Amino acid sequence: MRLDVRFPIGGMFTIIGAMLVIYGLVSPAAVYERSLGINVNLWWGLALLIFGVVMFAFAVRASRGWSAWRRAMQPQPPAQDRRPPTVS
Amino acid sequence: MLGIGWALRRVIRSSEDFFLSGRSIPAWIAGLAFISANLGAQEVIGMAASGAKYGIMTSHFYWVGAMPAMVFVGLFMMPFYYGSRARSVPEYLKLRFDEKTRALNAITFAIMTIFSSGISMYALAKLFELVLGWSFHGSIVLSAVIVLIYIFLGGLTSAIYNEVLQFFLIVLGFLPLVLLGLKDVGGWSGLTAKLATVATNAGFEPGAWTHSWKYMDSPSHNPMGMEWFGLVMGLGFALSFGYWCTDFLVVQRAMAAGSMTAARRTPLIAAVPKMLMPALVILPGMLAIGLHASRGGFLPIGADGQPNYNLAIPMMLGHYLPSGLLGLGLTALMASFMSGMAGNVTAFNSVWTYDIYQTHIRPGQTDAHYLRVGHAATVFGIVASVLAAYSATRFNNILDMLQLVFSFVNGPLFATFLLGMFWRRTTSHGAFYGLLTGTITAALHYGLTLPRGAVPGIKGGFLGAVLHVYPSEMALNFWTALFAWTGCFVATLLISLLTKRTKTDDELRGLVHSLTPRQRDGDMPWYKRPVTLAVGILAVSALLNVIFW
């Protein structure tokens, strides 16, 4: 199964975004002196989270539903019975 | 944060490289793959360093250099690459000319990959030095070991896939840096005021760092030391066309597209985000030099008494980003350096083993033999990269060094390709001796000139006499490229007229313009045609040049 590149992009930025948001919520304000007093972890994390989720949603839509996503997550079959990509 | 980045990359790498096999990828992904093959950490560090050293004039690499060249690749060169099915530059040269032209190109290409990998190694070591607090020597060893492990673990199984991810990591990791920096200095007008101090301190008009064309009437009026003719011909024509038209790491990405039309459209689609890159890579450098002037000593001073411009990005990261986002920025840089180095060493390995060793030194050995040679070549490539990394310490701007290498390799090669593709009378002897003449011309020019303030040696002038002193390293590179291109062009032309063709028209079908069927775009709606896209890109580039005039 060949994977739409938007799955890993979406997954990666969803995780990174979520981590930054959480860190942004718990970190003390002193951390943000160097970033001009703005809690950039929270706000940029939120932006990355939205980006990740949108990418993921597009990838799911492009693969016409969840079945392709589930197949994509399974271990790869041997080379000889690879099907052509389902993404158009 | 670093660990998670690494773990994610491991997971991602195990997925199939679908680009080259699955010929039905959306056009925008092919376009992104095309520029992400070019936008590595090397470019980020180098362009920021140039932004600090030369100001907004660095944008010429984009709006004068890359844009027209990418349009040219898409409209005119892609039909031959896509049609010929060549998978590398040496392979095309073999099909179009002969074995010896291929060998010559393979040798210069191998040298280029070593320098390119060495420059990345230098920058990565500098980053380790800064982050871990190690000595530079220790950091170099660490980088070399990491690349070695990375390659032997099979780090390049899906290069293109990684590149697209790294592209997003770099763009999204660096954007907050630019936004914070701009806010801190008070927007573009605040930056202009700061850079006016930088310019007057260096003895130029106040706007020399923030106007891309205004001070190009004479080399003495701008920090790059170029006048408009040398810039347009040297950078815009010889270097940029040479790079974008003959760099197969980049061109291959477009060939993954599903059809000839899609392949031609790929560089054009890629040009759209590429056009906006200066905001992300040049602006941080300009911000860094502005802060350097107003706060005193933001950038560390190197052995030559100049600020080390290469550290513009790392210093900016440390200055503005809090823990958390800082990890993201550093991960993006390191991942990109490692894959950049691994890519170059692997390319060196395959060119040496297949294009040189197997073809010319010891043909007809077993596969196991060539595999051992390949492993040895990888180790040799890394050791040579270490040497190149030490030579990079002499440059306060890695882009100066990178363009120097390109001026030797891509400058003359572009003349060979231009004549080979558009003039069927070009002979194999013409191509070989032309390419040789071009490379020797570059060496002569480099050996007989010097940038201002440099001592003869790695920066030029090693042939004893110094005939001309250029105001900057970059000016020397542009003229080296232009001399090399001209030398190759004239020699190829003359020798081709004096020698007989060895390839028949039939053998050259699909390799030469007049022997290749014309592309028909007539059945497409007008807004989808490559020509429409090309005109739009050139118009917007022209507009950007006017805005920052």
Side-chain angles (χ1 to χ4, degrees):
Chain A
M1 182 64 211
R2 293 185 182 93
L3 200 56
D4 187 332
V5 74
R6 281 171 290 189
F7 276 121
I9 292 175
M12 185 167 80
F13 282 104
T14 305
I15 296 170
I16 293 176
M19 280 173 50
L20 283 175
V21 168
I22 294 167
Y23 186 70
L25 289 173
V26 299
S27 52
V31 173
Y32 301 106
E33 261 171 41
R34 55 167 77 168
S35 57
L36 319 175
I38 306 166
N39 189 336
V40 279
N41 282 337
L42 178 64
W43 294 111
W44 197 251
L46 213 55
L48 294 185
L49 188 62
I50 294 169
F51 174 78
V53 170
V54 168
M55 271 289 172
F56 208 83
F58 272 111
V60 170
R61 205 190 61 169
S63 66
R64 296 183 204 90
W66 284 96
S67 57
W69 158 239
R70 254 184 265 114
R71 258 183 284 133
M73 285 295 102
Q74 276 162 12
Q76 292 176 17
Q80 56 269 28
D81 57 63
R82 260 180 214 147
R83 276 149 293 183
T86 51
V87 186
S88 55
Chain B
M1 197 47 144
L2 285 173
I4 296 220
W6 187 251
L8 270 171
R9 283 176 41 73
R10 298 277 319 170
V11 173
I12 290 153
R13 204 161 57 215
S14 62
S15 51
E16 179 70 18
D17 180 5
F18 73 117
F19 277 104
L20 287 168
S21 41
R23 287 207 151 198
S24 57
I25 54 173
W28 67 272
I29 297 182
L32 282 183
F34 190 83
I35 45 167
S36 43
N38 157 263
L39 186 106
Q42 214 173 38
E43 165 137 339
V44 176
I45 299 278
M47 285 295 168
S50 300
K53 192 173 176 182
Y54 303 125
I56 192 79
M57 284 179 73
T58 311
S59 69
H60 293 316
F61 277 96
Y62 292 82
W63 303 331
V64 176
M67 289 305 121
M70 288 167 88
V71 164
F72 185 77
V73 175
L75 290 187
F76 300 107
M77 305 287 262
M78 203 45 84
F80 311 112
Y81 288 138
Y82 200 84
S84 71
R85 301 186 191 285
R87 284 294 172 264
S88 67
V89 173
E91 202 181 331
Y92 178 86
L93 289 176
K94 184 192 162 189
L95 290 171
R96 174 64 184 84
F97 301 114
D98 59 4
E99 203 58 76
K100 64 177 183 295
T101 315
R102 170 194 178 189
L104 176 63
N105 174 251
I107 292 168
T108 55
F109 181 77
I111 295 170
M112 180 169 91
T113 57
I114 293 298
F115 273 103
S116 199
S117 145
I119 293 168
S120 280
M121 192 179 273
Y122 159 80
L124 182 63
K126 271 283 172 203
L127 202 62
F128 282 143
E129 195 183 346
L130 219 61
V131 175
L132 303 175
W134 289 22
S135 73
F136 184 70
H137 305 293
S139 306
I140 283 275
V141 172
L142 179 64
S143 318
V145 170
I146 288 177
V147 191
L148 193 68
I149 294 172
Y150 190 91
I151 293 174
F152 280 113
L153 286 178
L156 235 92
T157 43
S158 59
I160 303 179
Y161 210 92
N162 277 344
E163 280 163 6
V164 176
L165 284 169
Q166 277 165 8
F167 174 80
F168 279 103
L169 260 183
I170 286 181
V171 171
L172 296 172
F174 281 71
L175 204 53
L177 180 73
V178 178
L179 298 176
L180 283 171
L182 264 185
K183 185 172 157 51
D184 192 26
V185 300
W188 178 254
S189 55
L191 180 62
T192 311
K194 278 200 160 45
L195 291 176
T197 324
V198 175
T200 42
N201 285 350
F204 295 112
E205 294 283 315
W209 251 261
T210 43
H211 289 278
S212 58
W213 288 96
K214 195 176 173 188
Y215 299 104
M216 246 181 346
D217 50 342
S218 148
S220 58
H221 289 171
N222 60 69
M224 204 180 259
M226 287 305 291
E227 83 309 337
W228 63 272
F229 176 80
L231 185 115
V232 170
M233 296 309 288
L235 169 65
F237 182 69
L239 264 179
S240 296
F241 277 70
Y243 174 78
W244 289 99
C245 297
T246 65
D247 192 314
F248 255 56
L249 282 180
V250 174
V251 172
Q252 269 171 347
R253 303 323 185 231
M255 298 202 302
S259 67
M260 175 75 91
T261 313
R264 293 178 66 205
R265 229 174 15 218
T266 301
L268 302 171
I269 291 170
V272 177
K274 183 80 186 165
M275 204 148 45
L276 306 173
M277 281 302 152
L280 197 72
V281 296
I282 300 177
L283 206 48
M286 294 169 67
L287 290 164
I289 197 70
L291 292 173
H292 183 73
S294 64
R295 298 196 184 157
F298 184 69
L299 296 173
I301 306 294
D304 55 353
Q306 300 279 315
N308 189 346
Y309 301 104
N310 291 326
L311 293 178
I313 285 277
M315 295 309 278
M316 289 286 281
L317 281 174
H319 185 71
Y320 283 118
L321 296 187
S323 55
L325 264 187
L326 181 62
L328 179 64
L330 289 177
T331 309
L333 271 184
M334 288 183 185
S336 176
F337 276 132
M338 277 184 270
S339 64
M341 267 187 285
N344 275 301
V345 173
T346 310
F348 170 79
N349 171 352
S350 68
V351 164
W352 160 254
T353 311
Y354 299 106
D355 289 311
I356 301 173
Y357 187 82
Q358 189 172 15
T359 318
H360 295 279
I361 300 178
R362 292 189 68 179
Q365 301 286 321
T366 60
D367 281 353
H369 176 83
Y370 291 123
L371 200 65
R372 274 202 308 281
V373 171
H375 282 315
T378 300
V379 175
F380 174 82
I382 290 174
V383 173
S385 302
V386 170
L387 296 178
Y390 275 100
S391 60
T393 58
R394 307 283 188 84
F395 289 80
N396 59 21
N397 174 359
I398 55 172
L399 196 69
D400 285 341
M401 185 173 173
L402 204 59
Q403 297 297 330
L404 176 64
V405 178
F406 288 163
S407 71
F408 267 75
V409 179
N410 296 340
L413 187 59
F414 178 55
T416 307
F417 268 81
L418 207 56
L419 282 171
M421 281 184 168
F422 293 98
W423 193 43
R424 69 174 124 166
R425 183 72 186 74
T426 315
T427 65
S428 309
H429 286 308
F432 176 78
Y433 292 105
L435 202 53
L436 198 62
T437 310
T439 313
I440 293 172
T441 313
L444 283 177
H445 178 263
Y446 172 57
L448 292 171
T449 57
L450 255 188
R452 184 181 299 150
V455 284
I458 185 134
K459 288 197 173 178
F462 50 80
L463 289 178
V466 174
L467 301 183
H468 187 78
V469 173
Y470 287 105
S472 77
E473 284 92 341
M474 205 55 98
L476 186 143
N477 296 341
F478 292 167
W479 285 106
T480 304
L482 194 51
F483 271 95
W485 185 87
T486 313
C488 178
F489 190 84
V490 172
T492 310
L493 200 72
L494 290 179
I495 298 167
S496 290
L497 288 173
L498 295 175
T499 49
K500 276 170 80 173
R501 285 174 62 184
T502 48
K503 298 248 176 185
T504 62
D505 274 4
D506 215 34
E507 286 175 299
L508 296 182
R509 207 162 297 283
L511 299 171
V512 178
H513 184 255
S514 56
L515 301 170
T516 304
R518 295 237 348 165
Q519 295 303 308
R520 293 190 188 282
D521 302 323
D523 48 350
M524 272 189 283
W526 64 271
Y527 56 88
K528 275 192 168 177
R529 288 180 205 164
V531 177
T532 317
L533 260 169
V535 172
I537 289 159
L538 293 179
V540 179
S541 308
L543 185 68
L544 285 167
N545 274 308
V546 172
I547 291 173
F548 290 96
W549 191 272

